[in-house]
Structures are given as C-alpha cells and as structure tokens.
Amino acid sequence: MKELLMGNQAIARGALEAGVTVVTAYPGTPSSEIPMTISKIAKKQGIYFEWSTNEKVAYEVAFAGALAGLRSMVTMKHVGLNVASDAFMASAEVGVDGGFVVVSADDPSLHSSQNEQDNRYYARLANIPCIEPVSPQEAKDFTMKAFEISEKYSIPVMVRTTTRVNHARGDVEIGDILTLERTPKFEKNPRRFVTVPANARVLRVKQLEKMASVEIDLDFIEGSGDLGIIASGIAYNYVKEALLLLNLKAEIYKLAVTHPLSKKVVDFLKRHDTIVVVEELEPIIETEVRALAQREGLSVKVYGKEFVPRAYELDTTRVTNAFRKYKGIPEEVFKDLPIPVRPPILCPGCPHRATFYAMKKAAPKGIYPSDIGCYTLGVVPPINAVDTCFCMGGSIGVSCGLSEFVSDKILCSIGDSTFLHTGIPALIDAVYNQHRFVVVILDNETTAMTGHQPHPGTGVTGMGEIVPKVYPEKLAEAMGIHTDVVDPYDVKTTVKVMKEAVNSGELRVVIARRTCILVEGTQRRSPYHVTDECAGCQLCTSQLGCPAMTFTEKAVINELCTGCGVCAQICPTHAIEVHP
Ligand SMILES: Cc1ncc(C[n+]2csc(CCOP(=O)(O)OP(=O)(O)O)c2C)c(N)n1
C-alpha cells in the first residue's frame, strides 16, 4: 500500500517500521514535522517521546535510550546540532547498543534559519556514517537502514536531509510497524561510559577501527557517457533534469552514503577522464574525491564548485547553468516572476507588538539585543526594536558583554521557549558578573515560531500529559533578580514597569505574559473601529505597524482586527473604540 507522505512524515514512518521506542526533539524548521508526527501516536505505539528543553538535552535523552539497548532517534535542524555538539561528539566515541539515528535537517538558502551550514561536516568531525535521502520513499527506507547500520557498527548514524527533502511530498510504500520486545537495561561499564582521558584514548582508536570497517551499500550508478557525475542529496534530482534539458549524456554516481565514501567511488573514478561533482553547499565530496584520485594515482580531472554555486540551495536552473558553464555555452538568465514582495510581519494582535512598544517608550535611544523567535520580526519597521539576533539565547549573553562596554541603556528581548532553551546560563552569568541591563521575556506561553510546540513553561508534555509549569519568574527570582510580570495588552502598566526597570540601573527581568493570539484565538474579542475623532496624527500606524490598520486620510481598521485594544490605548484623541 502506498501513501502520500511528506519527507518528514516518511522519516517518522521509517522509524516506526524500524521499531523505534525513544524519540526526542527540540523543534526547528525544516525538521519539526518528524517529532510532531511521532508525538501524535507515541502513546498508542508505546514510544517514549519528549519535546526536550533544547537539542543537547534531546540528544542526551535519546542517547541514553540507545545505551539502554532501545532503538532511539533524535531530530533537530542543522543549528540544533551546534547546541547538541558536545554530547554528539562524545556519543560517537562511546558508541551505542540500540540503533541510534540523528536526523540533521539542514536549511540551504536559509528559508527559516539564522545561518547556512552543511552538517555533513559534523558527520566527519564526529566520524560517524552519514546517509542522505532524496525523496520521501528514500527518507523512509534510509531511516530504517540507518537503525540497522547503527546497530551493526554500534555507532550513531546521521540521516542528513535538506528542506526540499523534508518538505517534498511523494508516494511512499507503507510496511508494518515493527514492535521490538526489548527490555531496556543499563550495564555498568566505566571503561566505556566514563570518558576520562585514559578511557577516551582507547575509545578514540576503537572508533577509528570501527569506521574503517564501515561499508554501506546504498549508492547506485545509472546512465552512460564519457562524463562522470557524482551527485548527492537533492542535487541528484536536479542533475537528472539538467541532463534531459541539455540533452547531455553522462554516467551518474548517485551517492547516498556521504560518509564514509564507498569503495565503489574509486572504480567510478577509474572509468572516467572527467568528473563533475554536483553537491549543495560545501565542496565536501569534491575535496574527498580529489584526494581519492590523488591517492589512487589517477589522472581524472575533478570539477565542482568551479561551476556549481556554493552558497544557497541548488535548483534545476542553477544546475543546468552549471553544466552550460562547463560546456562553455552561455548561461540562461531567468527573470524572477513578478510576485509582490510580502515580508514576514507580526500577526495582528500579536502581544509582542505591544511589548516592543513599551520597550521603546521606556528607552527610546536604547540598544535592543534580541533573539530567535516570532519576536525577531520586531526588526521590521516601524517597530525597529531588534538590534541583534545571532543564535538562540544570544540576546542575554550579548547584553552581558555590551552592558560592560557601552553606556547606552540595554533592553534585550527573548521568547519563553528560547529563554528555557539557552537563556538561563547567560542570565546566571549576568547575576554572577554583576552585569546591569533589562531582560524582557516575551512569554506567549508557546513556541510560536516553529508551530506552537509545548515547552516546560506550558505545563503540557509532548505526550499530552499535564505537568507542573516551569515559571521563568521563579527562576529569575531564585537568582535574586527583581522580576515583574506584566500583561503587554495593558499598555500603561507595561510602560510604567519597563521604565522603572530601565531606570533602576540594576539587572532586571520583565516578563510580558500574554498567550499567542493564534493559540488564544480571536473569537473571544470584539474588533475595534476608528471614530470621527481621529485627528490623523498616524501615531497608531507609525508606532505599531499592525496589519489590521491602514491610513488614508485617517486611520482605518480592517477585518484583520483581533480586538487586542492596544491601538485604542495609545490613541491621543481616544478615537478607537470597540466596534458597536
Ligand atoms: C539552535 C536552534 N534551535 C531551534 C531553532 C528553531 N527556532 C527558531 S525560534 C524558536 C523558538 C521560538 O519560541 P519562543 O522563544 O517562545 O518565541 P515565539 O516564537 O513563541 O515568539 C525555535 C525553536 C533555531 N533557530 N535554532
């Protein structure tokens, strides 16, 4: 039986058909639908699932499952592996008992990410196998295979995907869900599990030996021609289309296992005088293929990034142009379709808008370091209250530094999920090292940006259980920080509390708590309208930038109004009222 599945659902299905019993994750595009799929059926299937506080914890929990002999999977976006990398490196050395699959969902072209990063480097850094599907069917099959390989060599296996593979949909052959009757057990073994230098030195050599023996048979070769093409990941699909468009003949080596390279690659090199490596992002395979050719004493000419762009994702046009360049024929210039630009913007009624308004009122000339979440959209005019955004949790750490080096007033903004993810250690640093600035936690009681996943502050687990909430104010107060909790829809009080915090000259925390408008729903509030009292001062539109407001001769509120009432509170002529 076949089912139309998204790549991410296919990975989840593959894990189920491989008998997975532990799945953990921290959300992040383009990976989020894998754990979201698992979370819905975890209880029924007897799977332990958790949304973890951050990727490092997610990694450690799943790794523990694998150490106890259970098939385990952890999923994250590419930058998530930066957060998990300490645990990741150790796990590669220690090895696993149950199959352990690490899904790294990379985001070439940064559709929804802070940077572009090729995590195939991580597979090399940790020296673990890396396999890359190109379709939903392969996403399922390779996930299953990854569990097998992991158990065969007792090593974590990376399934590396990219946005187009995660989000593409296609027919997938559905098999049976596997139930493995395994009793988890932890057998003490300090020589393996306690990585003091004397033990870790031994593990290091063992791991090298283990990886030297890895041979995974998933690659295939197709087509014929003098030219040899090596393509991996989604680039393989573009190569096929480009060859058709250009009527070009070539033998294609479709690389599924991108670390370690199969011995078959050498035979392929021996058959060709010229090879073009087509891979998205970094010249990793290209460099390794060149090294292989040198080691084997082959005179084959290897091309890659001379023709194939290194930045951003590839597509059929870019790969076709790469081959045009290679053949010395003019590249085709495609004009972008005349689609109107629609930059992302905070939703109408988003409580973050009101919080930013109050921050700017409290310190109009302040510096506003920020973080990653919906609130990063506070960078867009007219809000302009986001001066930095580097990495998750970075707002507080950067404020610790800036507050020491510049004399401006500093108010940083960070979301509730992000605060719990990596904000806490930086806040402790601020207390310890006596840094003075204001931390505004924009607590919309969810992880909105990535699809409203629960987190420790929401009081609901990934399996749907109701548990005690972790309150950011209790954490901050326990650190000895004066902390206020405000409702950003109450503009007057929020501005007053922010001003007090800024002018205190102390380290302060202000928690702006108001449920995300998409979670709360808009039905409960009456929309507003503008009366004849409007003086046309444009304060509302110029300060808030709410998509529910426009201005012609006077302010106009459209049907997008959610009834938050923030604009009514700042109107100097009281010309905004609830719609009669
Ligand atoms: C290291 C890392 N992990 C995950 C993500 C994906 N991501 C972006 S913002 C965000 C959290 C947003 O939640 P919150 O801080 O509560 O802000 P909100 O969007 O709800 O305003 C996540 C998980 C990321 N960008 N980087």
Side-chain angles (χ1 to χ4, degrees), residues 26-27 55 114 352 372 374-375 392 416-418 444 446 448-449:
Y26 184 73
E55 291 87 351
Q114 56 267 45
H352 297 341
I372 306 188
C374 284
Y375 49 93
M392 284 191 74
D416 44 342
S417 188
T418 305
N444 57 2
T446 187
M449 179 91 170

Side-chain angles (χ1 to χ4, degrees), residues 557-579:
I557 293 180
N558 62 38
E559 64 284 357
L560 295 176
C561 179
T562 61
C564 75
V566 170
C567 56
Q569 293 175 60
I570 70 163
C571 175
T573 55
H574 307 289
I576 302 177
E577 290 177 349
V578 171
H579 213 294

Side-chain angles (χ1 to χ4, degrees), residues 306-571:
E306 296 89 341
F307 307 117
V308 183
R310 183 165 170 175
Y312 312 144
E313 66 182 353
L314 299 177
D315 57 24
T316 304
T317 307
R318 296 185 98 199
V319 173
T320 308
N321 272 338
F323 284 112
R324 283 173 171 272
K325 223 164 148 186
Y326 165 74
K327 297 285 283 173
I329 48 180
E331 289 176 48
E332 221 162 311
V333 181
F334 289 89
K335 284 210 187 94
D336 280 341
L337 291 172
I339 298 169
V341 180
R342 280 195 301 163
I345 191 167
L346 292 173
C347 301
C350 173
H352 297 341
R353 178 177 289 105
T355 306
F356 284 129
Y357 173 83
M359 285 169 62
K360 282 170 63 183
K361 276 275 164 230
K365 294 206 168 88
I367 299 177
Y368 313 117
S370 192
D371 227 292
I372 306 188
C374 284
Y375 49 93
T376 319
L377 295 173
V379 69
V380 177
I383 299 177
N384 300 323
V386 165
D387 292 328
T388 66
C389 163
F390 302 121
C391 57
M392 284 191 74
S395 58
I396 303 181
V398 164
S399 300
C400 287
L402 280 179
S403 62
E404 284 300 314
F405 314 131
V406 299
S407 56
D408 310 66
K409 296 207 182 299
I410 294 174
L411 280 95
C412 75
S413 53
I414 183 165
D416 44 342
S417 188
T418 305
F419 175 71
L420 297 168
H421 177 277
T422 30
I424 298 168
L427 190 60
I428 295 172
D429 186 273
V431 173
Y432 175 47
N433 290 304
Q434 301 282 289
H435 302 304
R436 292 183 177 85
F437 58 95
V438 179
V439 178
V440 180
I441 301 177
L442 297 96
D443 185 354
N444 57 2
E445 303 185 300
T446 187
T447 319
M449 179 91 170
T450 46
H452 298 106
Q453 295 84 4
H455 62 64
T458 61
V460 185
T461 69
M463 308 260 277
E465 260 145 44
I466 306 299
V467 291
K469 291 183 183 183
V470 173
Y471 288 96
E473 58 267 41
K474 289 193 182 165
L475 294 173
E477 278 159 6
M479 295 178 205
I481 307 169
H482 179 120
T483 302
D484 291 293
V485 183
V486 291
D487 173 1
Y489 280 3
D490 176 353
V491 178
K492 202 168 158 196
T493 311
T494 306
V495 172
K496 181 173 157 278
V497 168
M498 294 265 189
K499 278 188 177 162
E500 275 168 18
V502 170
N503 296 327
S504 71
E506 298 171 1
L507 174 69
R508 287 278 185 109
V509 169
V510 178
I511 298 171
R513 179 167 295 137
R514 167 58 65 171
T515 309
C516 170
I517 190 76
L518 297 180
V519 172
E520 192 196 69
T522 54
Q523 268 75 3
R524 284 167 42 198
R525 296 172 182 280
S526 312
Y528 281 69
H529 83 134
V530 182
T531 68
D532 293 341
E533 303 299 310
C534 175
C537 68
Q538 297 189 49
L539 195 111
C540 51
T541 45
S542 68
Q543 300 279 305
L544 298 176
C546 177
M549 295 195 99
T550 49
F551 189 87
T552 40
E553 274 158 25
K554 59 174 200 157
V556 180
I557 293 180
N558 62 38
E559 64 284 357
L560 295 176
C561 179
T562 61
C564 75
V566 170
C567 56
Q569 293 175 60
I570 70 163
C571 175

Side-chain angles (χ1 to χ4, degrees), residues 16 35 50 75 102 106 141 186 264 273 281 288 299 322 349 369 382 391 407 448 471 501 553 574 579:
L16 288 174
E50 72 167 50
T75 73
V102 182
D106 294 9
D141 296 344
F186 178 77
K264 284 187 193 155
D273 295 331
L281 304 184
E288 290 186 3
S299 59
C391 57
S407 56
Y471 288 96
E553 274 158 25
H574 307 289
H579 213 294

